[in-house]
Amino acid sequence: MLLNILSSELHKEKLALPFELPSSFLSANQVVAVLTGGTEAQFVHLVEEGLIDLHKPVYLMVSGHSNSLAASLEILSYIRQHKGVGKVMLSADDTELPEVAETASLTEVPAETILHNDQPLRLGVVGKPSDWLISSAVDYKEVLKRMNIELVDIPIEEMTSLGEVDPGMKGAESIYTRLKEIVLREKLQGVTLRCFDLLTTVKNTGCIALSKLNDEGIPAACEGDIPTLLTMMLCKKLTGEVCFQVNPARIQTNGEILFAHCTLPLKMTEKYEYTTHFESGIGVAIHGDLPKGDYTLVKMSGDMQRLLAVDVELERCQFEQNLCRTQVWIKATPEVAQYFLTTPIHNHHILIRGHHAKEFRK
């Protein structure tokens, strides 16, 4: 087949293939070059048009920038949900297909109730999940049954009706004020926001709003991502820790992983500064340095059947222009690296302070 190349209009830099593959490999296999984030729906279109056959292995070429890896993980999760086999390729030599069996890093979640709340928790979904979250759907009734959590749909127009705001911190604060009003009015204990819709309507970002809510103890997720919000609530109930929602950006097979995102609770930082949102280059986002030491990486699947909870170490922070603004290198294990390359639970994951993996596995 011909090489399929996926890229997004949100990324303005000149894009090139991360590496070359022999023509013999391309002609014999299904290969997709995922060059940027926001391209997951394009992959679904290829499947629907019959250009990709999920009954055959799919190879995903990735680069180390522009959310290429993050998009590939969401695509790979989608492939797995449809009983297919996929492989993230970090280099031209990375052709060995994974075993279908789950990696040892994952825990099967028992079928009984996950959280025991005296009263149902109310979590708001402001706008539908972003179009690129192709593997992150949830069953609202099952969430209520197993987590005693009521998911409340709120139209995105409640945010976009702000109209165009100041492009700097004043506008970012007005987005926070509006979102906090919704949280109080609807009596919400947490919220997720379809934040990319704000870029073209309000002309600023939700990064500051979500950061402040998390600092206030109200779990707040980006991109309308419901499984990530549920994971945040699980983290809060079990540990009380503030959550940082992250994208994997680069992976080393020895277990070193670079995570990045533009929304960061300031309580987790040693120092920080305000900058622009990565994909759009507008609005206000946060570049922060987190202290080195013990952290836990967590993610629960949208069907509430699988859980990743592993103790990791934060080794160092960095800053590059071609990634989301807060960037941290985590030391995990080779098994965790293989989990991301073969059987990831969606795209976004949660990073919290301290080692808590045992509590989650209980």
Side-chain angles (χ1 to χ4, degrees), residues 45-329:
H45 179 72
L46 292 176
V47 173
E48 292 173 345
E49 292 296 312
L51 300 175
I52 294 289
D53 183 358
L54 296 184
H55 295 97
K56 300 177 181 179
V58 181
Y59 291 87
L60 303 171
M61 295 175 66
V62 300
S63 68
H65 53 79
S66 301
N67 287 333
S68 165
L69 177 60
S72 296
L73 297 187
E74 187 75 13
I75 291 170
L76 186 51
S77 182
Y78 174 88
I79 292 170
R80 295 276 304 187
Q81 285 180 359
H82 289 76
K83 312 302 181 185
V85 176
K87 172 71 175 180
V88 171
M89 300 185 72
L90 302 179
S91 71
D93 299 325
D94 200 4
T95 58
E96 184 178 350
L97 285 170
E99 296 293 332
V100 176
E102 300 289 359
T103 68
S105 303
L106 291 170
T107 300
E108 294 295 323
V109 180
E112 61 263 21
T113 302
I114 298 169
L115 289 179
H116 299 273
N117 309 306
D118 294 334
Q119 298 292 329
L121 300 176
R122 287 172 58 85
L123 303 185
V125 182
V126 183
K128 297 181 183 298
S130 292
D131 297 342
W132 49 84
L133 297 181
I134 58 175
S135 72
S136 299
V138 302
D139 184 323
Y140 282 33
K141 292 181 179 179
E142 279 296 304
V143 171
L144 181 59
K145 176 182 175 181
R146 299 194 61 199
M147 299 188 72
N148 203 15
I149 287 176
E150 179 185 2
L151 294 170
V152 182
D153 286 324
I154 298 163
I156 190 61
E157 287 76 16
E158 295 218 18
M159 295 298 302
T160 58
S161 62
L162 276 170
E164 188 169 338
V165 300
D166 175 83
M169 184 58 74
K170 182 179 178 182
E173 289 283 354
S174 66
I175 293 172
Y176 160 74
T177 300
R178 175 64 62 86
L179 189 57
K180 184 65 177 291
E181 289 172 352
I182 294 171
V183 167
L184 295 175
R185 185 194 72 207
E186 298 292 336
K187 297 180 172 59
L188 303 176
Q189 283 80 45
V191 67
T192 182
L193 171 65
R194 186 182 167 99
C195 47
F196 274 73
D197 282 22
L198 304 182
L199 301 178
T200 55
T201 55
V202 183
K203 302 298 177 67
N204 207 316
T205 71
C207 301
I208 296 301
L210 299 174
S211 172
K212 293 186 70 168
L213 289 175
N214 278 308
D215 274 338
E216 294 169 6
I218 302 169
C222 307
E223 301 172 33
D225 190 331
I226 301 174
T228 294
L229 179 59
L230 295 178
T231 305
M232 286 179 157
M233 289 304 302
L234 190 61
C235 290
K236 180 182 179 182
K237 296 288 279 189
L238 290 183
T239 72
E241 291 290 340
V242 177
C243 299
F244 179 27
Q245 175 182 339
V246 293
N247 285 332
R250 294 174 192 156
I251 295 178
Q252 309 292 337
T253 55
N254 67 357
E256 289 186 321
I257 306 171
L258 176 64
F259 290 98
H261 221 241
C262 285
T263 298
L264 171 69
L266 299 186
K267 283 185 177 179
M268 294 183 71
T269 66
E270 288 184 317
K271 60 180 180 179
Y272 64 90
E273 61 184 10
Y274 297 121
T275 180
T276 57
H277 177 253
F278 165 53
E279 287 93 341
S280 64
I282 70 171
V284 183
I286 301 163
H287 163 56
D289 286 348
L290 281 70
K292 298 178 183 178
D294 297 346
Y295 289 79
T296 309
L297 187 67
V298 188
K299 185 60 181 288
M300 183 176 66
S301 61
D303 60 10
M304 298 165 290
Q305 294 182 11
R306 294 193 303 161
L307 174 75
L308 176 80
V310 291
D311 294 332
V312 298
E313 303 296 321
L314 195 154
E315 293 188 320
R316 64 189 185 277
C317 302
Q318 67 163 48
F319 182 72
E320 295 178 11
Q321 289 289 346
N322 61 359
L323 292 169
C324 292
R325 300 317 190 187
T326 294
Q327 304 160 20
V328 296
W329 277 99

